[in-house]
């Protein structure tokens, strides 16, 4: 989640073609098999023993299942959670710092999360005193000792570039002592969790730094961090590199970020995006290892965007993308990253559509901020409506903005399947084709 921030330096661009070649070698695998060495050189390989719990933002304080999962993985009743909120503004930049009812800075946000974790059963939860006012603490031996006493970590939301500034030494992009200690704890079996920017910072190369879907489709992406929140930017060196098997995006359905995620993947040569939705976690066991498995926990879902077979094209009319795939996994579903295999929870049943109602018209597929009547999760809604009807094999939705207006076409085809949890409503979707083109 982007919040107002102080000016920060823009990273130096690196050739996209070189990254694309390297990433293609590291990440391209077939649908049913994978080269044994495909992920061997991924920066997350050393984190194989631990786990990640990555939430797409807006984590509600009564979400006992997600908080409970983090606590369980941190030792249950003995869990000691280190809370890092360096993505928030520091106290010096918060005009309401002295008002406990209105404050929104790193210290008061850290206290909030520490309290929530203890109310959910953690033995102890402590704010790790890191933010833009305390950058030096990232190399403090005392703070490292505090980190060493923890069994799990939670990174709060805000602006992920502040994590780069505080824990990765900014442009140097090297681990501070505190980050090195957290990385070592993860490798030894600790859990690292995060919400919104705290999930985004787990990314490897080409971490998204901002942008809106329509502007991304129209203008493309560029390396850097931009004051214009609509401009699609990314950091070539990435975040902490805890999860390397795909790009990460957050607040996906609520903010309509499917378009920007697909554009960034196409521009940077990535073959997969984990598009996380709000108040819902992507749980990753043994990240970076040849046994990396992922699961979904929560009321919404995680979209796996797959552009392996997609082809992007620029023309005078605008940018287009053909043959991307969209899978939408929900509570209890699992995913094998190496084999690209989703495993639908056995409680869900294949959906046999019986309805003949046409898919409703959707003229704001990416929930534009410019549309006062826009609806969150519009992309997902059209996909599910198509899965629910036997009257159509494809449906087209459009962007709210024009100049050009983009059309998104969803198509049932080879490999497509839908699943329900109650026999009627669509929950999980597998391998729905997505094409994007100017109209």
């Amino acid at each position: 989640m982007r919040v107002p921030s102080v000016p920060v330096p823009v990273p130096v661009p690196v050739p996209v073609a070189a990254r694309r070649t390297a990433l293609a070698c590291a990440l391209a695998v077939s649908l049913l098999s994978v080269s044994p060495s495909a992920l061997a050189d991924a920066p997350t390989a050393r984190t194989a023993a631990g786990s990640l719990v990555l939430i797409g933002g807006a984590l509600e304080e009564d979400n006992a299942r997600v908080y409970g999962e983090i606590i369980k993985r941190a030792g249950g009743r003995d869990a000691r959670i280190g809370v890092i909120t360096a993505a928030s503004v520091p106290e010096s930049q918060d005009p309401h710092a002295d008002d406990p009812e209105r404050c929104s800075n790193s210290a008061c946000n850290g206290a909030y999360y520490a309290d929530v974790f203890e109310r959910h059963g953690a033995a102890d939860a402590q704010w790790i005193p890191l933010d833009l006012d305390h950058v030096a603490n990232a190399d403090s031996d005392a703070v490292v000792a505090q980190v060493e006493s923890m069994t799990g970590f939670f990174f709060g939301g805000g602006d992920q570039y502040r994590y780069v500034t505080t824990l990765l030494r900014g442009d140097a992009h090297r681990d501070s002592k505190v980050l090195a200690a957290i990385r070592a704890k993860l490798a030894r079996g600790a859990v690292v969790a995060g919400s919104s920017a705290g999930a985004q910072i787990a990314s490897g190369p080409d971490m998204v730094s901002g942008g809106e879907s329509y502007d991304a489709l129209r203008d493309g992406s560029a390396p850097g961090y931009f004051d214009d929140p609509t401009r699609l930017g990314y950091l070539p060196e990435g975040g902490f590199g805890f999860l390397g098997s795909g790009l990460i995006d957050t607040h996906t359905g609520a903010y309509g970020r499917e378009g920007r995620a697909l554009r960034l993947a196409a521009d940077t040569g990535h073959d997969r995006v984990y598009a996380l939705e709000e108040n819902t976690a992507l749980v990753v066991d043994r990240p970076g290892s040849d046994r990396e498995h992922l699961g979904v926990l929560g009321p919404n879902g995680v979209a796996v965007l797959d552009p392996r077979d997609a082809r992007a094209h620029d023309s005078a009319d605008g940018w287009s993308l053909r043959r991307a795939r969209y899978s939408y996994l929900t509570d209890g579903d699992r995913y094998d990253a190496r084999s690209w295999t989703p495993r639908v929870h056995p409680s869900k049943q294949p959906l046999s559509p019986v309805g003949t109602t046409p898919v409703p018209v959707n003229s704001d597929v990416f929930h534009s901020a410019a549309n006062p009547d826009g609806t969150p999760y519009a992309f997902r809604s059209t996909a599910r409506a198509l899965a629910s009807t036997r009257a159509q094999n494809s449906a087209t939705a459009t962007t709210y903005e024009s100049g050009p207006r983009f059309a998104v076409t969803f198509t049932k085809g080879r490999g497509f399947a839908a699943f329900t949890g109650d026999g009627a409503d669509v929950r999980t979707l597998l391998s729905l084709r997505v094409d994007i083109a100017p109209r």
Side-chain angles (χ1 to χ4, degrees):
M1 178 176 65
R2 292 184 64 87
V3 294
S5 64
V6 296
V8 294
V10 175
V12 176
V14 292
V16 171
R19 289 196 310 280
R20 181 175 289 118
T21 299
L23 288 163
C25 293
L27 296 174
V29 297
S30 70
L31 182 62
L32 298 176
S33 63
V34 63
S35 166
S37 62
L39 296 176
D41 295 328
T44 54
R46 53 185 162 164
T47 68
S51 59
L52 307 172
V53 179
L54 306 178
I55 303 107
L59 177 59
E60 296 179 8
E61 65 180 87
D62 63 352
N63 192 330
R65 295 184 66 210
V66 171
Y67 280 108
E69 185 72 18
I70 298 167
I71 292 168
K72 179 185 76 174
R73 289 168 177 266
R77 292 181 180 178
D78 297 323
R80 293 173 53 83
I81 307 296
V83 176
I84 300 118
T85 51
S88 300
V89 297
E91 286 185 287
S92 65
Q93 296 179 24
D94 181 3
H96 306 296
D98 295 329
D99 184 346
E101 299 299 321
R102 302 173 66 192
C103 66
S104 182
N105 60 68
S106 53
C108 71
N109 291 346
Y112 163 80
Y113 281 118
D115 175 67
V116 172
F117 272 106
E118 290 184 353
R119 283 192 279 117
H120 279 284
D124 184 29
Q126 302 175 13
W127 179 52
I128 307 296
L130 288 167
D131 57 25
L132 293 181
D133 283 346
H134 304 93
V135 175
N137 281 355
D139 288 303
S140 162
D141 290 339
V143 177
V144 169
Q146 184 185 15
V147 165
E148 291 288 356
S149 72
M150 299 293 113
T151 59
F153 303 91
F154 179 83
F155 288 83
D159 188 323
Q160 56 265 30
Y161 199 89
R162 296 191 185 110
Y163 284 131
V164 174
T165 301
T166 53
L167 285 163
L168 277 171
R169 297 175 176 159
D171 286 345
H173 211 85
R174 296 195 311 271
D175 282 7
S176 61
K177 288 183 180 180
V178 166
L179 181 56
I182 294 171
R183 195 182 299 280
K185 296 282 286 188
L186 176 61
R188 296 196 299 269
V191 59
V192 173
S195 181
S196 188
Q200 193 69 256
I201 196 62
S203 299
D206 305 319
M207 177 182 71
V208 66
S209 60
E212 300 290 345
S213 281
Y214 177 77
D215 303 82
L217 298 181
R218 185 190 62 196
D219 303 326
S221 63
Y225 177 99
F226 305 104
D227 289 334
D228 178 358
T230 68
R231 186 176 181 185
L232 178 57
Y234 63 94
L235 303 186
E237 292 183 286
F240 297 158
F242 292 155
L243 182 62
S245 57
L247 293 173
I248 299 171
D249 211 342
T250 59
H251 297 280
T252 302
Y255 292 178
R257 288 175 169 171
E258 294 91 350
R260 82 170 191 182
L262 284 168
R263 182 68 198 251
L264 181 59
D267 285 357
T268 56
H270 286 265
D271 286 336
R272 179 162 45 203
V273 183
Y274 301 116
L276 316 183
E277 289 192 350
E278 292 185 344
N279 202 33
T280 298
L282 177 68
V283 181
V284 187
D285 290 301
R286 300 174 295 275
S289 77
D290 59 2
R291 295 183 298 153
E292 178 178 292
H293 279 77
L294 305 92
V296 179
L297 179 67
N300 287 306
V302 173
V304 180
L305 305 176
D306 177 357
R308 280 176 297 166
D309 297 326
R311 296 294 180 269
H313 179 67
D314 255 322
S315 71
D317 294 327
W319 185 83
S320 62
L321 184 73
R322 292 178 54 80
R323 299 199 304 274
R325 293 283 171 175
Y326 168 79
S327 293
Y328 184 77
L329 308 181
T330 56
D331 190 55
D333 294 339
R334 302 280 293 168
Y335 183 79
D336 184 332
R338 286 183 64 87
S339 67
W340 298 75
T341 305
R343 305 186 188 282
V344 179
H345 192 272
S347 67
K348 297 171 186 170
Q349 301 299 317
L351 178 74
S352 298
V354 295
T356 57
T357 303
V359 176
V361 173
N362 181 353
S363 58
D364 187 10
V365 67
F366 297 123
H367 186 211
S368 171
N371 182 6
D373 300 318
T375 304
Y377 300 97
F379 187 99
R380 181 186 75 182
S381 295
T382 293
R384 281 179 162 174
L386 177 62
S388 298
T389 184
R390 59 186 177 88
Q392 295 173 241
N393 284 323
S394 67
T396 297
T398 63
T399 57
Y400 177 75
E401 298 89 347
S402 59
R405 191 180 307 279
F406 288 91
V408 180
T409 300
F410 302 84
T411 305
K412 304 173 188 176
R414 179 177 57 85
F416 171 72
F419 295 81
T420 178
D422 59 8
D425 294 331
V426 180
R427 294 292 295 158
T428 295
L429 300 172
L430 301 182
S431 198
L432 185 65
R433 175 172 165 168
V434 175
D435 300 300
I436 302 173
R439 170 178 284 189

